[in-house]
């Protein structure tokens, strides 16, 4: 028996792989998707979504890609995995993603191929969109200038290509490497951590989709999960997955806040100072001990 069987789960509920089935549409995720979709629907050029590590940017990027109707969009997702990429590599990769066959090595020839492909997409009544995940790795002025040039590809009625950047807040500094490009950001949205209420809903949502007949975490445990993770989805997944495994090892059907505390401690996840529990007050009314206790609370 493994922990999935022990808790009557059909699959891992808290995998950190971006599984679209487990996508949780919080209020702010829904707002982000609405705004980004509005930007690409209007072919506004460049939209940017920023969020801290583990905030769910990759999951949202994949969700957006899946949500764009194929009959309306020629859409692609490009994940940047290395900061050392060149502008020429990027240009060729975008061309491939949008359906350019045998991209040329020479830049002007490649731009001509890409322009012709974008015109065909436009004539088909579709909109060309490229989503760029981990966009903070695009950290050179040359690359920023390349994006500006691509956004200049247009017909009299509208632009031929839209981009959506997903990445860490450093994106904003990278954009400033080419001020004209920074001025072309049509929409910017920041993905904040989940609230305490949304964290609880997120945990229940993933357990339900994994087939759980009940929630093994007590309300107090869920509150502690939020306190430790600050509402960061990736950390929530890590803490919950480990808690379920340790619960299985301990044969615990119910996981309370003390259990979450132990698992978080083993993982090296600390509480913010404001959420840490204060030491117990002294049992005896000794003035010196009371003074020391009060001093410990400062």
């Amino acid at each position: 028996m493994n922990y999935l069987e022990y808790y009557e789960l059909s699959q891992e509920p808290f995998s950190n792989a971006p599984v679209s089935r487990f996508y949780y549409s919080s209020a702010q995720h829904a707002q982000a998707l609405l705004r980004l979709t509005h930007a690409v629907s209007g072919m506004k050029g460049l939209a940017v979504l920023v969020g801290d590590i583990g905030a769910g940017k990759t999951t949202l990027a994949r969700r957006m890609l899946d949500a764009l109707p194929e009959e309306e969009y020629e859409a692609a997702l490009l994940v940047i995995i290395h900061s050392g990429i060149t502008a020429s590599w990027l240009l060729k990769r975008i061309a491939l993603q949008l359906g350019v066959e045998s991209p040329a090595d020479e830049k002007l020839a490649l731009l001509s191929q890409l322009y012709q492909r974008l015109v065909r997409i436009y004539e088909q009544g579709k909109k060309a969109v490229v989503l760029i995940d981990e966009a903070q790795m695009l950290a050179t002025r040359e690359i920023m200038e390349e994006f500006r040039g691509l956004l200049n590809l247009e017909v009299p009625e509208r632009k031929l290509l839209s981009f959506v950047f997903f990445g860490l807040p450093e994106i904003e500094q990278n954009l400033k490497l080419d001020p004209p490009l920074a001025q072309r950001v049509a929409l910017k949205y920041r993905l904040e951590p989940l609230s305490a209420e949304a964290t609880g809903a997120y945990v229940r949502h993933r357990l339900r989709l994994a087939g759980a007949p009940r929630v093994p975490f007590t309300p107090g445990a869920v509150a502690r999960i939020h306190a430790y993770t600050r509402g960061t989805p990736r950390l929530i997944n890590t803490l919950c997955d480990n808690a379920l495994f340790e619960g299985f090892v301990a044969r615990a059907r119910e996981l309370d806040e003390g259990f979450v505390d132990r698992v978080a401690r083993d993982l090296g996840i600390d509480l913010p100072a404001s959420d840490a529990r204060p030491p117990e007050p002294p049992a005896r009314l000794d003035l010196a001990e009371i003074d020391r206790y009060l001093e410990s609370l400062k």
Side-chain angles (χ1 to χ4, degrees):
M1 175 181 285
N2 57 31
Y3 89 72
L4 297 182
E5 296 169 321
Y6 185 74
Y7 290 108
E8 302 176 69
L9 301 168
S10 59
Q11 64 185 112
E12 290 185 18
F14 297 107
S15 168
N16 269 319
V19 181
S20 59
R21 180 171 181 267
F22 283 102
Y23 176 77
Y24 171 66
S25 183
S26 71
Q28 67 159 341
H29 281 76
Q31 286 291 323
L33 192 58
L34 176 66
R35 284 167 167 74
L36 296 176
T37 302
H38 168 71
V40 300
S41 176
M43 295 298 286
K44 295 183 180 295
L46 177 59
V48 177
L49 180 129
V50 299
D52 292 327
I53 295 172
K57 300 178 296 297
T58 294
T59 302
L60 186 61
R62 293 181 183 276
R63 178 68 173 187
M64 183 175 180
L65 181 67
D66 292 341
L68 294 175
E70 291 184 9
E71 65 273 13
E72 297 179 29
Y73 293 92
E74 186 74 28
L77 173 62
L78 180 58
V79 182
I80 307 301
I81 61 174
H82 194 278
S83 60
I85 66 169
T86 63
S88 59
W89 179 93
L90 180 69
L91 183 59
K92 183 173 287 190
R93 182 58 55 182
I94 290 172
L96 283 168
Q97 293 279 58
L98 290 175
V100 173
E101 298 180 4
S102 303
D105 292 326
E106 200 273 320
K107 181 176 178 178
L108 289 179
L110 178 55
L111 283 172
S112 177
Q113 289 178 310
L114 181 56
Y115 180 78
Q116 292 170 25
R117 173 60 183 154
L118 291 172
V119 169
R120 285 197 296 271
I121 292 171
Y122 166 74
E123 290 173 343
Q124 293 168 0
K126 291 186 175 183
K127 300 167 183 175
V129 180
V130 178
L131 314 180
I132 308 285
D133 192 21
E134 301 292 353
Q136 74 279 352
M137 292 191 180
L138 303 171
T140 69
R141 181 177 179 179
E142 181 187 17
I143 287 177
M144 294 297 106
E145 289 176 344
E146 199 69 70
F147 277 107
R148 175 160 54 91
L150 291 172
L151 289 172
N152 285 334
L153 298 177
E154 55 189 23
V155 292
E157 294 85 357
R158 73 172 195 209
K159 294 184 181 298
L160 289 173
L161 180 59
S162 283
F163 290 102
V164 182
F165 286 179
F166 297 80
L168 298 174
E170 295 93 279
I171 291 176
E172 300 187 58
Q173 293 303 314
N174 294 353
L175 288 168
K176 292 177 182 177
L177 293 170
D178 186 60
L181 178 65
Q183 292 176 6
R184 296 188 185 200
V185 175
L187 181 144
K188 187 183 298 179
Y189 191 87
R190 184 179 181 93
L191 205 56
E192 300 290 351
L194 298 176
S195 65
E197 182 180 0
T199 296
Y202 176 88
V203 170
R204 293 189 295 272
H205 169 80
R206 295 191 70 120
L207 284 167
R208 177 177 58 80
L209 290 181
R214 61 183 184 83
V215 177
F217 297 101
T218 65
V222 173
R224 295 298 274 179
I225 289 167
H226 177 263
Y228 278 108
T229 64
R230 290 78 156 173
T232 301
R234 186 181 299 166
L235 284 178
I236 295 171
N237 290 344
T238 298
L239 185 53
C240 288
D241 183 66
N242 278 271
L244 287 173
F245 177 74
E246 294 298 336
F248 159 66
V249 171
R251 293 299 191 269
R253 286 290 179 184
E254 185 175 81
L255 307 176
D256 61 15
E257 55 189 290
F259 198 94
V260 172
D261 286 338
R262 291 193 297 275
V263 173
R265 184 170 59 249
D266 291 343
L267 288 170
I269 302 175
D270 297 322
L271 280 174
S274 60
D275 290 315
R277 292 173 174 171
E280 292 297 322
R284 295 183 295 110
L285 293 177
D286 180 274
L287 292 180
E289 291 183 0
I290 290 176
D291 287 342
R292 285 193 294 272
Y293 170 70
L294 293 176
E295 185 66 27
S296 73
L297 296 179
K298 294 181 179 179

